[in-house]
mmCIF file of all heavy atoms in Angstrom:
data_model
loop_
_atom_site.group_PDB
_atom_site.id
_atom_site.type_symbol
_atom_site.label_atom_id
_atom_site.label_comp_id
_atom_site.label_asym_id
_atom_site.label_seq_id
_atom_site.Cartn_x
_atom_site.Cartn_y
_atom_site.Cartn_z
ATOM 1 N N ILE I 84 6.599 0.527 -11.405
ATOM 2 C CA ILE I 84 6.056 0.073 -10.122
ATOM 3 C C ILE I 84 4.793 -0.734 -10.422
ATOM 4 O O ILE I 84 3.904 -0.267 -11.136
ATOM 5 C CB ILE I 84 5.724 1.255 -9.196
ATOM 6 C CG1 ILE I 84 7.011 1.987 -8.792
ATOM 7 C CG2 ILE I 84 4.973 0.781 -7.944
ATOM 8 C CD1 ILE I 84 6.773 3.319 -8.124
ATOM 9 N N TYR I 86 1.585 -2.456 -8.653
ATOM 10 C CA TYR I 86 0.888 -2.471 -7.369
ATOM 11 C C TYR I 86 -0.455 -3.166 -7.468
ATOM 12 O O TYR I 86 -1.096 -3.195 -8.514
ATOM 13 C CB TYR I 86 0.751 -1.058 -6.806
ATOM 14 C CG TYR I 86 -0.384 -0.207 -7.327
ATOM 15 C CD1 TYR I 86 -1.575 -0.092 -6.612
ATOM 16 C CD2 TYR I 86 -0.252 0.519 -8.512
ATOM 17 C CE1 TYR I 86 -2.599 0.718 -7.069
ATOM 18 C CE2 TYR I 86 -1.276 1.330 -8.976
ATOM 19 C CZ TYR I 86 -2.446 1.425 -8.251
ATOM 20 O OH TYR I 86 -3.462 2.224 -8.701
ATOM 21 N N THR I 167 4.401 -3.371 -4.683
ATOM 22 C CA THR I 167 3.778 -2.937 -3.443
ATOM 23 C C THR I 167 2.291 -3.268 -3.442
ATOM 24 O O THR I 167 1.665 -3.330 -4.499
ATOM 25 C CB THR I 167 3.963 -1.413 -3.223
ATOM 26 O OG1 THR I 167 3.297 -1.021 -2.030
ATOM 27 C CG2 THR I 167 3.413 -0.608 -4.385
ATOM 28 N N SER I 169 0.462 -1.283 -1.561
ATOM 29 C CA SER I 169 -0.084 0.034 -1.233
ATOM 30 C C SER I 169 -0.216 0.885 -2.487
ATOM 31 O O SER I 169 0.529 0.704 -3.456
ATOM 32 C CB SER I 169 0.835 0.754 -0.233
ATOM 33 O OG SER I 169 0.901 0.050 0.981
ATOM 34 N N ASN I 170 -1.148 1.813 -2.457
ATOM 35 C CA ASN I 170 -1.312 2.724 -3.593
ATOM 36 C C ASN I 170 -0.079 3.616 -3.715
ATOM 37 O O ASN I 170 0.198 4.412 -2.816
ATOM 38 C CB ASN I 170 -2.559 3.585 -3.369
ATOM 39 C CG ASN I 170 -2.912 4.411 -4.598
ATOM 40 O OD1 ASN I 170 -2.036 4.836 -5.359
ATOM 41 N ND2 ASN I 170 -4.185 4.655 -4.792
ATOM 42 N N PRO I 171 0.705 3.492 -4.793
ATOM 43 C CA PRO I 171 1.957 4.247 -4.910
ATOM 44 C C PRO I 171 1.758 5.752 -4.958
ATOM 45 O O PRO I 171 2.656 6.511 -4.613
ATOM 46 C CB PRO I 171 2.573 3.727 -6.221
ATOM 47 C CG PRO I 171 1.427 3.171 -6.989
ATOM 48 C CD PRO I 171 0.463 2.647 -5.970
ATOM 49 N N TYR I 172 0.569 6.202 -5.374
ATOM 50 C CA TYR I 172 0.319 7.638 -5.445
ATOM 51 C C TYR I 172 0.212 8.246 -4.050
ATOM 52 O O TYR I 172 0.331 9.456 -3.889
ATOM 53 C CB TYR I 172 -0.964 7.906 -6.236
ATOM 54 C CG TYR I 172 -0.853 7.484 -7.682
ATOM 55 C CD1 TYR I 172 -1.437 6.301 -8.118
ATOM 56 C CD2 TYR I 172 -0.129 8.243 -8.606
ATOM 57 C CE1 TYR I 172 -1.332 5.895 -9.432
ATOM 58 C CE2 TYR I 172 -0.015 7.839 -9.935
ATOM 59 C CZ TYR I 172 -0.614 6.670 -10.349
ATOM 60 O OH TYR I 172 -0.495 6.269 -11.653
ATOM 61 N N HIS I 173 0.006 7.390 -3.047
ATOM 62 C CA HIS I 173 -0.066 7.866 -1.670
ATOM 63 C C HIS I 173 1.136 7.449 -0.847
ATOM 64 O O HIS I 173 1.504 8.120 0.110
ATOM 65 C CB HIS I 173 -1.329 7.329 -0.981
ATOM 66 C CG HIS I 173 -2.599 7.738 -1.657
ATOM 67 N ND1 HIS I 173 -2.897 9.044 -1.977
ATOM 68 C CD2 HIS I 173 -3.659 7.003 -2.078
ATOM 69 C CE1 HIS I 173 -4.077 9.097 -2.557
ATOM 70 N NE2 HIS I 173 -4.559 7.878 -2.646
ATOM 71 N N SER I 174 1.735 6.307 -1.178
ATOM 72 C CA SER I 174 2.707 5.706 -0.256
ATOM 73 C C SER I 174 4.159 5.766 -0.714
ATOM 74 O O SER I 174 5.059 5.531 0.091
ATOM 75 C CB SER I 174 2.333 4.232 -0.026
ATOM 76 O OG SER I 174 2.395 3.506 -1.237
ATOM 77 N N ILE I 175 4.415 6.065 -1.975
ATOM 78 C CA ILE I 175 5.797 6.046 -2.481
ATOM 79 C C ILE I 175 6.310 7.460 -2.681
ATOM 80 O O ILE I 175 5.607 8.330 -3.198
ATOM 81 C CB ILE I 175 5.888 5.233 -3.786
ATOM 82 C CG1 ILE I 175 5.579 3.760 -3.485
ATOM 83 C CG2 ILE I 175 7.256 5.359 -4.439
ATOM 84 C CD1 ILE I 175 5.631 2.850 -4.673
ATOM 85 N N ASN I 176 7.552 7.657 -2.257
ATOM 86 C CA ASN I 176 8.184 8.970 -2.358
ATOM 87 C C ASN I 176 8.113 9.497 -3.793
ATOM 88 O O ASN I 176 8.426 8.774 -4.742
ATOM 89 C CB ASN I 176 9.650 8.843 -1.921
ATOM 90 C CG ASN I 176 10.355 10.179 -1.867
ATOM 91 O OD1 ASN I 176 10.621 10.780 -2.903
ATOM 92 N ND2 ASN I 176 10.656 10.637 -0.672
ATOM 93 N N PRO I 177 7.695 10.762 -3.964
ATOM 94 C CA PRO I 177 7.560 11.319 -5.318
ATOM 95 C C PRO I 177 8.835 11.246 -6.151
ATOM 96 O O PRO I 177 8.770 11.115 -7.375
ATOM 97 C CB PRO I 177 7.165 12.777 -5.058
ATOM 98 C CG PRO I 177 6.506 12.759 -3.722
ATOM 99 C CD PRO I 177 7.227 11.701 -2.932
ATOM 100 N N ARG I 180 8.753 7.804 -7.481
ATOM 101 C CA ARG I 180 7.557 7.641 -8.320
ATOM 102 C C ARG I 180 7.703 8.335 -9.671
ATOM 103 O O ARG I 180 7.269 7.815 -10.704
ATOM 104 C CB ARG I 180 6.348 8.190 -7.566
ATOM 105 C CG ARG I 180 5.023 7.713 -8.090
ATOM 106 C CD ARG I 180 3.889 8.150 -7.185
ATOM 107 N NE ARG I 180 3.741 9.600 -7.172
ATOM 108 C CZ ARG I 180 3.621 10.332 -6.070
ATOM 109 N NH1 ARG I 180 3.660 9.755 -4.892
ATOM 110 N NH2 ARG I 180 3.467 11.647 -6.143
ATOM 111 N N CYS I 183 9.420 6.342 -12.452
ATOM 112 C CA CYS I 183 8.863 5.023 -12.783
ATOM 113 C C CYS I 183 7.499 5.141 -13.463
ATOM 114 O O CYS I 183 6.720 6.046 -13.153
ATOM 115 C CB CYS I 183 8.692 4.191 -11.502
ATOM 116 S SG CYS I 183 10.218 3.868 -10.595
ATOM 117 N N GLN I 184 7.231 4.206 -14.348
ATOM 118 C CA GLN I 184 5.881 4.044 -14.860
ATOM 119 C C GLN I 184 5.098 3.208 -13.840
ATOM 120 O O GLN I 184 5.643 2.268 -13.262
ATOM 121 C CB GLN I 184 5.895 3.332 -16.213
ATOM 122 C CG GLN I 184 6.651 4.080 -17.293
ATOM 123 C CD GLN I 184 6.044 5.451 -17.568
ATOM 124 O OE1 GLN I 184 4.839 5.580 -17.730
ATOM 125 N NE2 GLN I 184 6.878 6.470 -17.612
ATOM 126 N N ILE I 185 3.850 3.543 -13.632
ATOM 127 C CA ILE I 185 3.055 2.857 -12.613
ATOM 128 C C ILE I 185 1.962 2.027 -13.273
ATOM 129 O O ILE I 185 1.200 2.536 -14.094
ATOM 130 C CB ILE I 185 2.448 3.870 -11.626
ATOM 131 C CG1 ILE I 185 3.570 4.593 -10.876
ATOM 132 C CG2 ILE I 185 1.513 3.170 -10.640
ATOM 133 C CD1 ILE I 185 3.086 5.691 -9.950
ATOM 134 N N PHE I 186 1.913 0.750 -12.906
ATOM 135 C CA PHE I 186 0.910 -0.152 -13.459
ATOM 136 C C PHE I 186 0.145 -0.828 -12.320
ATOM 137 O O PHE I 186 0.746 -1.449 -11.443
ATOM 138 C CB PHE I 186 1.552 -1.225 -14.336
ATOM 139 C CG PHE I 186 2.312 -0.678 -15.514
ATOM 140 C CD1 PHE I 186 3.694 -0.804 -15.591
ATOM 141 C CD2 PHE I 186 1.635 -0.028 -16.537
ATOM 142 C CE1 PHE I 186 4.396 -0.294 -16.674
ATOM 143 C CE2 PHE I 186 2.324 0.477 -17.639
ATOM 144 C CZ PHE I 186 3.709 0.354 -17.702
ATOM 145 N N GLU I 187 -1.168 -0.699 -12.360
ATOM 146 C CA GLU I 187 -2.003 -1.363 -11.363
ATOM 147 C C GLU I 187 -2.381 -2.752 -11.858
ATOM 148 O O GLU I 187 -2.872 -2.918 -12.966
ATOM 149 C CB GLU I 187 -3.271 -0.562 -11.094
ATOM 150 C CG GLU I 187 -4.184 -1.222 -10.071
ATOM 151 C CD GLU I 187 -5.476 -0.469 -9.834
ATOM 152 O OE1 GLU I 187 -5.730 0.522 -10.572
ATOM 153 O OE2 GLU I 187 -6.238 -0.866 -8.940
#
Side-chain angles (χ1 to χ4, degrees):
I84 294 168
Y86 82 98
T167 178
S169 297
N170 188 328
Y172 295 102
H173 301 309
S174 62
I175 294 180
N176 185 289
R180 198 173 65 228
C183 299
Q184 299 299 312
I185 297 176
F186 300 113
E187 179 182 7

